[in-house]
């Protein structure tokens, strides 16, 4: 069995936790806390770990910091679950460099976002992904998030990439167009790995043959997000559906400001991190912080006396 076939099997039916990048009070990356978060995620049931995706604030990190975050995470995972760092950026050569680094450190796959800000056309996206995929001996999962990249990777473009590049094994679709995600599996094949990046579509995506999810909510309640997938995999559809609706209030409040700011507030209230972001991102308003706290206490035990400042 090839590495591609093996990782495709390991990534079916999974909750991939897109772990945040914790910062210290002085704004530097808190690598020790990152290790602790990853250990907690795995012990809480997360089936795979990703870093430096959207939740990991990659655009706030230097390329050198991104490499060190990947290396730290790889060490913390220690082979217990699959590891899929985010290696994409708006710069083609930087994306290629980071993806090669992921391969060098032994990652199981790389999550490569559609380039943001510069709005490439479909032919340019095809060339970008084909060049990245053929430059490494590593499975690639495309990351399509048109709400943040300002361009949608069309189904026909993705199908062309996947057919010409056997190591492009799947896509994370943060795409609210459910017709689009259905057509991904129709055009790319039912064995293509389709992951939901939209929290309210994590459960419905499984029903059409999706492979799982990469949900920011897993940063806060990893055990519940993982349990929903476990219930589905075990044929307990009623429990999976119950968890889908149970998670909705938390999903909603965690996206009332730009991810990962609300998730960092939640983790701060839980005593897991010092809740800080790098400008131009910042913590949510005091009002939203109070709302997050009010919702969160229905799911987890908060750290006594924890408060967040802005």
């Amino acid at each position: 069995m090839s590495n591609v076939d093996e990782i495709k099997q390991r990534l079916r039916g999974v909750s991939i936790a897109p772990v945040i990048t914790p910062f210290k009070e002085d704004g530097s990356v808190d690598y020790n806390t990152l290790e602790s978060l990853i250990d907690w995620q795995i012990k809480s049931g997360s089936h795979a770990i990703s870093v430096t995706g959207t939740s990991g604030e990659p655009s706030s990190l230097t390329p050198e910091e991104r490499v060190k975050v990947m290396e730290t995470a790889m060490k913390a995972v220690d082979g217990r679950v699959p590891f899929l760092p985010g290696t994409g950026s708006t710069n083609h050569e930087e994306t290629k460099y980071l993806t090669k680094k992921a391969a060098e450190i032994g990652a199981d796959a790389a999550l490569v976002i559609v380039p943001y800000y510069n709005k490439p056309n479909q032919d340019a996206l095809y060339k970008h992904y084909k060049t990245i995929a053929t430059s490494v001996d590593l499975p690639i999962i495309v990351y399509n998030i048109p709400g943040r990249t300002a361009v949608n990777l069309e189904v026909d473009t993705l199908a062309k990439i996947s057919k010409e590049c056997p190591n492009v094994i799947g896509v994370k679709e943060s795409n609210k167009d459910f017709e689009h995600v259905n057509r991904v599996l129709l055009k790319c094949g039912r064995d293509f790995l389709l992951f939901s990046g939209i929290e309210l579509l994590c459960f419905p995506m499984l029903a059409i043959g999706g492979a799982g999810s990469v949900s920011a909510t897993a940063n806060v309640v990893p055990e519940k997000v993982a349990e929903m997938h476990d219930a589905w995999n075990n044929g307990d559809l009623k429990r999976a559906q119950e968890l889908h609706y149970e998670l909705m209030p938390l999903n909603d409040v965690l996206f009332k400001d730009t991810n990962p700011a609300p998730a960092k507030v939640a983790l701060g209230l839980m005593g897991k991190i010092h809740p800080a972001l790098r400008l131009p991102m910042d913590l949510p308003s005091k009002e939203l912080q109070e709302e997050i706290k009010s919702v969160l206490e229905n799911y987890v035990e908060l750290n006594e006396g924890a408060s967040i400042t802005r």
Side-chain angles (χ1 to χ4, degrees):
M1 179 183 291
S2 70
N3 182 53
V4 167
D5 290 337
E6 181 182 358
I7 194 62
K8 285 179 76 170
Q9 281 196 6
R10 293 179 69 199
L11 289 176
R12 186 160 291 282
V14 300
S15 167
I16 303 172
V19 180
I20 59 98
T21 301
F23 298 121
K24 298 178 182 179
E25 290 189 45
D26 64 3
S28 61
V29 178
D30 189 342
Y31 295 102
N32 289 334
T33 296
L34 176 63
E35 289 182 355
S36 297
L37 286 174
I38 289 171
D39 188 58
W40 170 64
Q41 281 285 338
I42 295 172
K43 289 178 178 177
S44 297
S46 290
H47 307 115
I49 297 293
S50 182
V51 294
T52 60
T54 300
S55 297
E57 296 173 74
S59 60
S60 296
L61 303 173
T62 67
E64 293 76 20
E65 286 175 324
R66 290 186 67 172
V67 171
K68 189 170 180 181
V69 167
M70 288 194 294
E71 291 173 341
T72 302
M74 181 75 186
K75 179 182 176 183
V77 170
D78 194 28
R80 290 179 287 174
V81 295
F83 175 54
L84 305 80
T87 60
S89 86
T90 193
N91 182 291
H92 176 76
E93 289 301 322
E94 184 177 296
T95 300
K96 190 157 61 171
Y97 164 75
L98 291 168
T99 307
K100 287 181 177 180
K101 283 292 183 182
E104 287 174 12
I105 68 173
D108 295 289
L111 186 67
V112 183
I113 194 170
V114 168
Y116 38 89
Y117 174 72
N118 46 23
K119 298 180 68 174
N121 62 36
Q122 295 299 304
D123 187 54
L125 288 173
Y126 159 74
K127 292 175 181 176
H128 172 70
Y129 278 107
K130 184 169 184 179
T131 302
I132 299 300
T134 56
S135 71
V136 292
D137 182 18
L138 182 71
I140 301 292
I141 295 174
V142 175
Y143 179 10
N144 188 30
I145 179 168
R148 292 185 74 145
T149 61
V151 64
N152 185 44
L153 182 65
E154 300 295 343
V155 173
D156 286 344
T157 307
L158 179 60
K160 184 178 180 182
I161 294 165
S162 68
K163 284 178 173 58
E164 295 186 13
C165 305
N167 61 325
V168 175
I169 62 172
V171 62
K172 174 188 175 183
E173 282 285 357
S174 293
N175 197 324
K176 293 184 178 181
D177 183 349
F178 204 56
E179 289 188 15
H180 171 101
V181 297
N182 275 267
R183 295 187 186 283
V184 166
L185 290 182
L186 180 67
K187 290 291 185 75
C188 296
R190 297 282 294 281
D191 65 337
F192 196 66
L193 300 178
L194 173 65
F195 297 98
S196 176
I198 298 290
E199 277 59 29
L200 295 191
L201 295 183
C202 291
F203 175 66
M205 203 85 90
L206 293 170
I208 65 168
S213 71
V214 189
S215 169
T217 304
N219 272 295
V220 181
V221 286
E223 70 289 343
K224 288 191 178 293
V225 179
E227 186 189 351
M228 185 180 75
H229 292 75
D230 291 337
W232 174 269
N233 294 333
N234 294 330
D236 190 349
L237 306 189
K238 182 179 180 181
R239 179 57 181 158
Q241 187 182 72
E242 287 173 351
L243 284 160
H244 167 70
Y245 286 106
E246 182 182 331
L247 286 166
M248 279 181 64
L250 183 59
N251 289 333
D252 288 344
V253 79
L254 290 179
F255 284 87
K256 286 195 172 183
D257 199 349
T258 305
N259 178 50
K264 284 196 162 183
V265 168
L267 288 167
L269 291 168
M270 294 163 65
K272 296 288 184 183
I273 66 168
H274 170 70
L277 297 93
R278 286 179 175 174
L279 292 172
M281 295 189 71
D282 200 1
L283 293 171
S285 68
K286 289 289 186 64
E287 292 76 15
L288 181 52
Q289 289 182 36
E290 287 300 319
E291 186 178 352
I292 292 168
K293 183 176 182 180
S294 177
V295 172
L296 186 63
E297 61 189 5
N298 295 316
Y299 294 85
V300 299
E301 183 177 341
L302 302 186
N303 192 36
E304 188 174 347
S307 63
I308 311 299
T309 58
R310 187 171 192 262

